[in-house]
Amino acid sequence: MENETKLILGNIDGGSDIPLFVTSTDTPEDVIDVTLSVFMRHERVPEPGEVLFATVDTTSEDVELLLRRWIAARTCGRGSHIFVIADLHMLSYAQQCHLVDQARSLLAEWDASNAATLLLVSGRPQQVAVNQFSQHYIDLTSLETSELREGLAHAFRLHLGVTEAVASCINGGGKTHSIMRRVGERQYLGETIAYCRVPMRENTTPASLVACLRDATARCKAADASFTVGSTTSMVVHLDVGHIIPASASTMLFELLLVGVVRDSMSSQFYHRNAAVEVLIELPNSPGNKSAEALRFASLLPNTLLEVSAATMDLTYPVFTDPFATKIALPAYEEAVLVAKWLRAFKTGKFDPRSGDYSPGFDVFTDAPITSQEVFEVLVEVCHASTGPALQPLFAAFRSLVMFLNIQFQQVCVCFVYLLFTEI
Amino acid sequence: MDLRSKLLMAEVPTELEAEFGASSLIESFVQQLQVMSDTSAALQGLSSAGHPTYCQPTFTLKKAIAMDALPAMQGQLKVLELEADVWKKQVKASRNQHYFLNYFTMRDILRIRKLVEAPLDVPMKIPTTEASASSSLAGTKDSLAYNISVVSATGFHEDHAAAALRRCDNNLEAAVAFLFGHSQHMDRMVAEDAQKFGVAGDTKGIAQPKPQDTTTSQLRLSVELTAMLYAVSSTVNEAAVPTLADNLFIRLSKGEDFLNALGVELSLLFGKESVVRNIPPPGAAAARHAGSLILVTSFLVKP
């Protein structure tokens, strides 16, 4: 690995007359790893404008501008930059030809004396640009996943702000609840943070992501009456990733989380993530874990894996306390407690005249307190069967059952009160 | 195009040919259609290349088809093509001269121009650097003008913000909630206020534009411009952004070329120093771990 690093650093730091390199990866999914590895080996985070992830929306102008930034980089102190066109295979044949022509034309016009390093990374073999620059081909391998994770953790800690992926072992495992609870607890302790949820779905594009983030920022600022421009009130973005995600989701996350800038090229609107903005990404559970695997970049982030167990059973429930949905309170989850008490009473035979614990005057409100362990166990007993479709119990199933049974038990209470008064 | 194809395929009856010279009429018409099509393409090219004249949403070019209109149309097309060439060369020269322009597409640059020009919509004096520095602080806290600026900085239109604040006793939180709840009726309320208080957007009792009126635009401009400038570097001196905007505004007012003006201002803002966000090398934790092991081992074996 060390030799490989030296080789790559040696090449990139000026081993060639023209600092232009092309490489291709085995699969398109590896492009992010290779791109990240290059910057990790250079011990730095990519700067805005340094990496262009090609998409179907990438224009020749975008490519030309990156080439211009590359060819004259040393004139403005950017000689150490590595300008990368990643996902080269996403460019059309005509665009790749244009890229080659542009690069050659700029080299002829400027020569390479003021150029930084240009790296073209294709996710597929036999691309025009790769073939045209085959004499500049280098075989780049990515770092180990653990090394990439470590590098990203450093990047977030030192420069970009708190960034974390929250996953659970099963769908309905309490990811949303966990994120909201974390924010609610910090708000309760007096931290000036505002929560905002930003969805990422199949139809999410850089444009809609920018719009959502800008809207979320506006809501957070509007929610804080004491807001003044330039204040350091931080924002926690709950990035809720759906089961079906766009093909460019991983690169959008790369740009938002690591580079720090997302651009809507159509409206020229930008979103800049400063270090005060924390991002918690809710990763979806999908069959075969396909969504999480498609989000390669997210899988490299510092992460928390939630489990459904008695230890993680929470007897509070996050609710919004302002119209902007930025402030969260954590009142007691009374419904779950009451339902669990009812179920416990059934289980212990309080309504069975043949039982020794028969208690016709049972009052759920004065019944003995119940622990979260007991609540979990009693709910698992009625919600989950080892022979059922779900391999593990789900908090989401608990929630549904509690909502349903709570209404039924309330009717029982009303009936008791009615009987009580009619007997009197 | 369909019409042109059909015309070319049409068989002209001999009596029409004899009476009107229909063939020559059709030929002239088709030629003019071709030139108009080329003109349209040239105009679109100029617009997408960011030529300020042809990017205006109000720009229109009307031409009537007439028997003798072809030479004039062809002449105009040549002028447009020439203009496109000149513009492309001008843009290329500016991009060559000013490195930081290459971080923005022409669409981005036009948006920056639009943002900078926005204060022109508000009647105001051309700001000097000193005046603009003080004007950004104008408006005392809790005044209506100040609160309008705060609310509109969150993304609401300033007229809407003013109307909402008037209806909420100048209470910020209530006004924002009001805006969310009455978004469909805000235009009507602005119109009502315009009738009641005079010009829409004026604060109550303030008939003439004052420095406070420009605060909103400047705040919005700063926020938008700052976000755009982060596309150049991870480090932006945010305090210098209003000055950059003011300088661009002054240069525009003096009739300077916007591309060059922006290039100069960006160079001043970003300088020539490299900005790098360093992180430890890969495997540093493992190396540290190995180092501490060696240290512990050496300590242990030390007599």
Side-chain angles (χ1 to χ4, degrees), chain B residues 251-268:
Chain B
R251 283 169 183 270
L252 265 178
S253 308
K254 288 178 181 171
E256 279 189 39
D257 172 43
F258 186 73
L259 276 174
N260 279 319
L262 180 62
V264 170
E265 291 300 326
L266 288 174
S267 300
L268 287 173

mmCIF file of all heavy atoms in Angstrom, chain B residues 251-268:
data_model
loop_
_atom_site.group_PDB
_atom_site.id
_atom_site.type_symbol
_atom_site.label_atom_id
_atom_site.label_comp_id
_atom_site.label_asym_id
_atom_site.label_seq_id
_atom_site.Cartn_x
_atom_site.Cartn_y
_atom_site.Cartn_z
ATOM 1 N N ARG B 251 -19.185 49.854 -10.397
ATOM 2 C CA ARG B 251 -18.571 49.624 -11.703
ATOM 3 C C ARG B 251 -19.635 49.526 -12.799
ATOM 4 O O ARG B 251 -19.459 50.046 -13.901
ATOM 5 C CB ARG B 251 -17.750 48.334 -11.680
ATOM 6 C CG ARG B 251 -16.408 48.477 -10.974
ATOM 7 C CD ARG B 251 -15.793 47.111 -10.765
ATOM 8 N NE ARG B 251 -14.544 47.173 -10.038
ATOM 9 C CZ ARG B 251 -13.352 47.299 -10.612
ATOM 10 N NH1 ARG B 251 -13.255 47.398 -11.911
ATOM 11 N NH2 ARG B 251 -12.260 47.336 -9.880
ATOM 12 N N LEU B 252 -20.743 48.849 -12.446
ATOM 13 C CA LEU B 252 -21.849 48.748 -13.415
ATOM 14 C C LEU B 252 -22.425 50.118 -13.719
ATOM 15 O O LEU B 252 -22.728 50.446 -14.868
ATOM 16 C CB LEU B 252 -22.953 47.859 -12.844
ATOM 17 C CG LEU B 252 -22.948 46.380 -13.221
ATOM 18 C CD1 LEU B 252 -24.074 45.653 -12.536
ATOM 19 C CD2 LEU B 252 -23.073 46.213 -14.734
ATOM 20 N N SER B 253 -22.579 50.911 -12.663
ATOM 21 C CA SER B 253 -23.149 52.253 -12.831
ATOM 22 C C SER B 253 -22.268 53.112 -13.720
ATOM 23 O O SER B 253 -22.745 54.001 -14.412
ATOM 24 C CB SER B 253 -23.313 52.935 -11.474
ATOM 25 O OG SER B 253 -24.013 52.100 -10.616
ATOM 26 N N LYS B 254 -20.963 52.822 -13.662
ATOM 27 C CA LYS B 254 -20.040 53.596 -14.507
ATOM 28 C C LYS B 254 -19.963 53.040 -15.922
ATOM 29 O O LYS B 254 -19.188 53.523 -16.739
ATOM 30 C CB LYS B 254 -18.643 53.575 -13.875
ATOM 31 C CG LYS B 254 -18.530 54.412 -12.613
ATOM 32 C CD LYS B 254 -17.136 54.273 -12.041
ATOM 33 C CE LYS B 254 -16.991 55.076 -10.752
ATOM 34 N NZ LYS B 254 -15.722 54.780 -10.077
ATOM 35 N N GLY B 255 -20.709 51.957 -16.167
ATOM 36 C CA GLY B 255 -20.745 51.389 -17.515
ATOM 37 C C GLY B 255 -19.606 50.432 -17.808
ATOM 38 O O GLY B 255 -19.319 50.143 -18.973
ATOM 39 N N GLU B 256 -18.928 49.956 -16.772
ATOM 40 C CA GLU B 256 -17.826 49.017 -17.018
ATOM 41 C C GLU B 256 -18.354 47.668 -17.473
ATOM 42 O O GLU B 256 -19.486 47.293 -17.170
ATOM 43 C CB GLU B 256 -17.012 48.814 -15.731
ATOM 44 C CG GLU B 256 -16.022 49.908 -15.462
ATOM 45 C CD GLU B 256 -15.092 49.558 -14.316
ATOM 46 O OE1 GLU B 256 -14.688 48.388 -14.208
ATOM 47 O OE2 GLU B 256 -14.803 50.458 -13.516
ATOM 48 N N ASP B 257 -17.516 46.925 -18.159
ATOM 49 C CA ASP B 257 -17.879 45.572 -18.597
ATOM 50 C C ASP B 257 -18.014 44.682 -17.352
ATOM 51 O O ASP B 257 -17.104 44.597 -16.522
ATOM 52 C CB ASP B 257 -16.786 45.042 -19.521
ATOM 53 C CG ASP B 257 -17.000 43.580 -19.853
ATOM 54 O OD1 ASP B 257 -18.158 43.222 -20.114
ATOM 55 O OD2 ASP B 257 -16.030 42.813 -19.826
ATOM 56 N N PHE B 258 -19.161 44.021 -17.250
ATOM 57 C CA PHE B 258 -19.443 43.285 -16.012
ATOM 58 C C PHE B 258 -18.490 42.111 -15.811
ATOM 59 O O PHE B 258 -18.058 41.833 -14.690
ATOM 60 C CB PHE B 258 -20.889 42.778 -16.006
ATOM 61 C CG PHE B 258 -21.261 42.135 -14.704
ATOM 62 C CD1 PHE B 258 -21.463 42.907 -13.559
ATOM 63 C CD2 PHE B 258 -21.360 40.764 -14.579
ATOM 64 C CE1 PHE B 258 -21.774 42.322 -12.344
ATOM 65 C CE2 PHE B 258 -21.675 40.166 -13.364
ATOM 66 C CZ PHE B 258 -21.879 40.951 -12.248
ATOM 67 N N LEU B 259 -18.163 41.419 -16.898
ATOM 68 C CA LEU B 259 -17.277 40.262 -16.765
ATOM 69 C C LEU B 259 -15.930 40.670 -16.176
ATOM 70 O O LEU B 259 -15.421 40.039 -15.246
ATOM 71 C CB LEU B 259 -17.055 39.607 -18.131
ATOM 72 C CG LEU B 259 -18.099 38.606 -18.596
ATOM 73 C CD1 LEU B 259 -17.799 38.186 -20.013
ATOM 74 C CD2 LEU B 259 -18.131 37.397 -17.684
ATOM 75 N N ASN B 260 -15.372 41.739 -16.720
ATOM 76 C CA ASN B 260 -14.082 42.195 -16.219
ATOM 77 C C ASN B 260 -14.198 42.689 -14.786
ATOM 78 O O ASN B 260 -13.339 42.418 -13.955
ATOM 79 C CB ASN B 260 -13.515 43.302 -17.112
ATOM 80 C CG ASN B 260 -12.856 42.708 -18.335
ATOM 81 O OD1 ASN B 260 -12.161 41.704 -18.249
ATOM 82 N ND2 ASN B 260 -13.115 43.305 -19.479
ATOM 83 N N ALA B 261 -15.288 43.416 -14.527
ATOM 84 C CA ALA B 261 -15.487 43.948 -13.172
ATOM 85 C C ALA B 261 -15.576 42.806 -12.167
ATOM 86 O O ALA B 261 -14.935 42.834 -11.108
ATOM 87 C CB ALA B 261 -16.764 44.785 -13.133
ATOM 88 N N LEU B 262 -16.345 41.788 -12.522
ATOM 89 C CA LEU B 262 -16.499 40.649 -11.615
ATOM 90 C C LEU B 262 -15.172 39.917 -11.443
ATOM 91 O O LEU B 262 -14.796 39.541 -10.325
ATOM 92 C CB LEU B 262 -17.572 39.692 -12.166
ATOM 93 C CG LEU B 262 -17.867 38.447 -11.331
ATOM 94 C CD1 LEU B 262 -18.415 38.823 -9.955
ATOM 95 C CD2 LEU B 262 -18.873 37.535 -12.039
ATOM 96 N N GLY B 263 -14.460 39.752 -12.554
ATOM 97 C CA GLY B 263 -13.162 39.068 -12.484
ATOM 98 C C GLY B 263 -12.199 39.780 -11.557
ATOM 99 O O GLY B 263 -11.530 39.152 -10.728
ATOM 100 N N VAL B 264 -12.152 41.100 -11.684
ATOM 101 C CA VAL B 264 -11.246 41.890 -10.834
ATOM 102 C C VAL B 264 -11.647 41.746 -9.365
ATOM 103 O O VAL B 264 -10.809 41.504 -8.489
ATOM 104 C CB VAL B 264 -11.273 43.379 -11.265
ATOM 105 C CG1 VAL B 264 -10.548 44.256 -10.255
ATOM 106 C CG2 VAL B 264 -10.662 43.538 -12.642
ATOM 107 N N GLU B 265 -12.940 41.879 -9.103
ATOM 108 C CA GLU B 265 -13.407 41.814 -7.709
ATOM 109 C C GLU B 265 -13.174 40.423 -7.104
ATOM 110 O O GLU B 265 -12.827 40.305 -5.932
ATOM 111 C CB GLU B 265 -14.898 42.182 -7.634
ATOM 112 C CG GLU B 265 -15.196 43.640 -7.940
ATOM 113 C CD GLU B 265 -14.505 44.603 -6.995
ATOM 114 O OE1 GLU B 265 -14.341 44.261 -5.816
ATOM 115 O OE2 GLU B 265 -14.118 45.704 -7.453
ATOM 116 N N LEU B 266 -13.384 39.388 -7.912
ATOM 117 C CA LEU B 266 -13.152 38.024 -7.403
ATOM 118 C C LEU B 266 -11.675 37.813 -7.096
ATOM 119 O O LEU B 266 -11.322 37.202 -6.085
ATOM 120 C CB LEU B 266 -13.626 36.983 -8.425
ATOM 121 C CG LEU B 266 -15.135 36.837 -8.603
ATOM 122 C CD1 LEU B 266 -15.459 35.874 -9.740
ATOM 123 C CD2 LEU B 266 -15.797 36.332 -7.327
ATOM 124 N N SER B 267 -10.818 38.343 -7.966
ATOM 125 C CA SER B 267 -9.378 38.207 -7.721
ATOM 126 C C SER B 267 -8.994 38.903 -6.426
ATOM 127 O O SER B 267 -8.167 38.407 -5.651
ATOM 128 C CB SER B 267 -8.578 38.811 -8.877
ATOM 129 O OG SER B 267 -8.903 38.141 -10.053
ATOM 130 N N LEU B 268 -9.600 40.074 -6.195
ATOM 131 C CA LEU B 268 -9.303 40.810 -4.958
ATOM 132 C C LEU B 268 -9.777 40.018 -3.741
ATOM 133 O O LEU B 268 -9.113 39.996 -2.703
ATOM 134 C CB LEU B 268 -9.993 42.182 -4.978
ATOM 135 C CG LEU B 268 -9.385 43.222 -5.914
ATOM 136 C CD1 LEU B 268 -10.273 44.458 -5.964
ATOM 137 C CD2 LEU B 268 -7.988 43.606 -5.444
#
